[in-house]
Amino acid sequence: MSGSSPFKMRLVHLDLKGAPPKVSYLAEVFPLFHALGANGLLIEYEDMFPYEGHLRLLRAQHAYSPSEIKEILHLATLNELEVVPLVQTFGHMEFVLKHEALAHLREVAFFPNTLNPHEAESLALVGAMIDQVMELHPGARWLHVGCDEVYYLGEGEASRQWLQQEQNTKARLCLSHVKAVASYVLARHPATKPLVWDDMLRDIPEDQLSASGVPQLVEPMLWDYTADLDVHGKALLMEKYRKCGFQQLWAASAFKGATGVSQALTPIEHHLRNQMQWLQVAAHGPADTLQGIVLTGWQRYDHFSVLCELLPVGIPSLAVCLQSLLQGGFAEDVKARVENFLGIPSLEITGFTSDILALVTQVGLHLRSSVDEMLHRDRYVTGWFSSYHRRRKFVHPVMIQHIQPQALR
């Protein structure tokens, strides 16, 4: 089922670091993913993976069990969705480095997001994480090792001293860690190819990239979630990567979670335009330049941020994006197919649709404002049911008679 899509692989990103779905829900949506045109999943477990042994502290209280991971993989296989696990190994390490026992491995002591690449223990840590994840994903053709947004790299004390040496640069420091992680993956799991986000590679000169040896070890994933991405610039970037020796490239768009850190409703039109731009990028290069595309669906911007749109809210956008990539555009017949898949009479691209979105709108926009109005302006609430009273859980019984009718309106 390839239609006229230039993307052989079409992966849906499951970001589990916020509001992770129950396995029973995944059993319901995987068939829909397949029907819409997906043939793979990029699963970003973060703290939802059942790490064991000395890594057990990384797992969330409600992490999936090993049997649930196996069930997810079984469900994916039943629906012809190839699974690519993602393990962060450099930046976005908050869920690891927030723990006091591992805080000494931070690049900058005050910030838990970036791993110190100078410590041998750092590579041992991510190596152990990789091995545990791969143990539950035998036969995985790819492993995504992250390496995006490595903020504050070069600002730790060890890095400052290292950078004082002649010819040492932040780019070289970044490449050396990426190479070490990729080499570890290939040594321990030779049938698995490492993938990396590309943002830390974009500005590195061609000669440095080529000389680093990294292009022979990893496949970069070019990501851009904007509705007006620079098509020509992306084509030039792909050409640069090919000249450096990267054998395969990937693209990454977004179907949700990329338009606001606290976004509640998914702007379908924005994400549709993003897919259209990526189709243009694919058309600018030789056939099969891009191995595939990942439709990212972020649940949080990082481990400590609030939730943005939840997966159920983003399903209509995912349907539009997948079908557009599969069919090579979004015409009326594609729109009709999406409506049929979703079981809705009419799809609003420029507005918001579905009962779920209507509920989010009601709660997020209308109910919140009425509650705020009541909490801050009603004399009975401000006088007898203030934040002081609510924290201490006491209220004059008589005042309940005044407050309750308004709360139930």
Side-chain angles (χ1 to χ4, degrees):
M1 187 174 69
S2 60
S4 55
S5 176
F7 301 107
K8 180 171 61 176
M9 298 294 296
R10 297 171 298 279
L11 278 61
V12 175
H13 172 230
L14 294 178
D15 177 19
L16 303 180
K17 67 176 175 285
K22 292 183 178 180
V23 176
S24 58
Y25 179 77
L26 296 177
E28 293 185 38
V29 296
F30 281 3
L32 177 62
F33 290 178
H34 172 71
L36 289 169
N39 54 13
L41 301 169
L42 177 65
I43 303 183
E44 183 165 353
Y45 290 106
E46 219 208 42
D47 59 1
M48 285 301 293
F49 187 82
Y51 289 106
E52 295 288 357
H54 69 290
L55 297 180
R56 191 177 181 88
L57 80 167
L58 304 185
R59 64 197 293 185
Q61 185 177 0
H62 53 287
Y64 295 125
S65 67
S67 62
E68 286 177 317
I69 298 291
K70 292 176 182 177
E71 178 63 17
I72 292 172
L73 298 181
H74 175 65
L75 291 168
T77 299
L78 288 178
N79 291 283
E80 301 179 40
L81 298 169
E82 182 167 1
V83 172
V84 177
L86 188 154
V87 182
Q88 290 288 3
T89 60
F90 205 177
H92 285 294
M93 291 284 284
E94 294 93 342
F95 79 104
V96 177
L97 300 177
K98 71 178 183 180
H99 297 286
E100 185 177 354
L102 298 170
H104 64 287
L105 296 179
R106 298 173 179 178
E107 166 71 339
V108 176
F110 192 65
F111 303 131
N113 51 297
T114 295
L115 190 69
N116 182 343
H118 302 280
E119 294 286 345
E121 189 181 347
S122 294
L123 185 59
L125 170 66
V126 297
M129 293 167 61
I130 287 168
D131 288 342
Q132 290 198 20
V133 169
M134 288 301 296
E135 185 177 353
L136 286 181
H137 295 76
R141 287 199 290 168
W142 296 282
L143 171 69
H144 203 307
V145 294
C147 296
D148 61 316
E149 298 180 333
V150 189
Y151 299 136
Y152 307 108
L153 180 64
E155 296 185 21
E157 185 56 37
S159 289
R160 290 179 186 274
Q161 294 182 18
W162 184 85
L163 289 170
Q164 289 178 3
Q165 300 175 32
E166 190 176 358
Q167 295 185 336
N168 283 350
T169 64
K170 288 184 181 180
R172 184 179 176 189
L173 180 59
C174 176
L175 290 169
S176 66
H177 183 74
V178 172
K179 183 176 182 178
V181 171
S183 297
Y184 182 91
V185 173
L186 292 168
R188 296 276 296 180
H189 313 279
T192 303
K193 189 73 172 184
L195 306 178
V196 296
W197 300 115
D198 86 304
D199 54 289
M200 298 299 294
L201 308 177
R202 293 171 192 164
D203 297 328
I204 298 178
E206 286 183 29
D207 58 340
Q208 291 186 39
L209 272 177
S210 300
S212 70
V214 168
Q216 288 70 46
L217 302 176
V218 306
E219 296 176 4
M221 191 170 281
L222 291 71
W223 62 271
D224 194 322
Y225 313 141
T226 57
D228 57 351
L229 69 85
D230 181 358
V231 172
H232 180 64
K234 284 291 182 290
L236 291 177
L237 185 58
M238 289 195 301
E239 183 179 351
K240 169 187 172 179
Y241 287 154
R242 288 197 305 271
K243 287 181 179 178
C244 292
F246 290 104
Q247 298 300 308
Q248 294 286 351
L249 307 177
W250 294 71
S253 61
F255 73 90
K256 77 172 194 71
T259 56
V261 67
S262 59
Q263 184 79 22
L265 305 176
T266 305
I268 297 178
E269 183 179 24
H270 172 98
H271 296 293
L272 173 58
R273 289 171 58 195
N274 179 235
Q275 315 309 314
M276 295 299 98
Q277 296 295 92
W278 273 114
L279 285 170
Q280 290 188 45
V281 172
H284 271 66
D288 299 326
T289 297
L290 291 170
Q291 170 87 357
I293 187 167
V294 171
L295 293 87
T296 62
W298 302 100
Q299 297 280 83
R300 300 184 193 273
Y301 276 29
D302 65 37
H303 183 74
F304 293 111
S305 70
V306 297
L307 292 167
C308 41
E309 313 105 289
L310 302 184
L311 180 57
V313 173
I315 292 295
S317 176
L318 176 62
V320 167
C321 294
L322 269 173
Q323 278 289 292
S324 299
L325 292 174
L326 183 69
Q327 304 300 334
F330 190 74
E332 281 301 316
D333 61 323
V334 180
K335 181 174 181 289
R337 288 169 61 88
V338 171
E339 290 168 347
N340 182 58
F341 280 124
L342 297 178
I344 57 176
S346 179
L347 178 69
E348 294 293 332
I349 299 299
T350 56
F352 301 104
T353 186
S354 88
D355 293 340
I356 294 176
L357 291 178
L359 179 60
V360 171
T361 303
Q362 176 66 23
V363 173
L365 301 181
H366 306 315
L367 182 58
R368 179 188 298 173
S369 61
S370 64
V371 170
D372 289 344
E373 174 85 11
M374 182 179 176
L375 289 177
H376 297 293
R377 297 192 180 184
D378 184 273
R379 63 185 294 264
Y380 295 108
V381 173
T382 58
W384 288 273
F385 197 52
S386 67
S387 58
Y388 173 87
H389 295 87
R390 296 194 296 273
R391 282 199 305 271
R392 287 158 180 78
K393 298 181 180 179
F394 74 90
V395 62
H396 196 305
V398 171
M399 294 304 146
I400 294 177
Q401 299 179 65
H402 296 285
I403 297 171
Q404 190 177 47
Q406 295 189 69
L408 295 177
R409 278 193 307 188

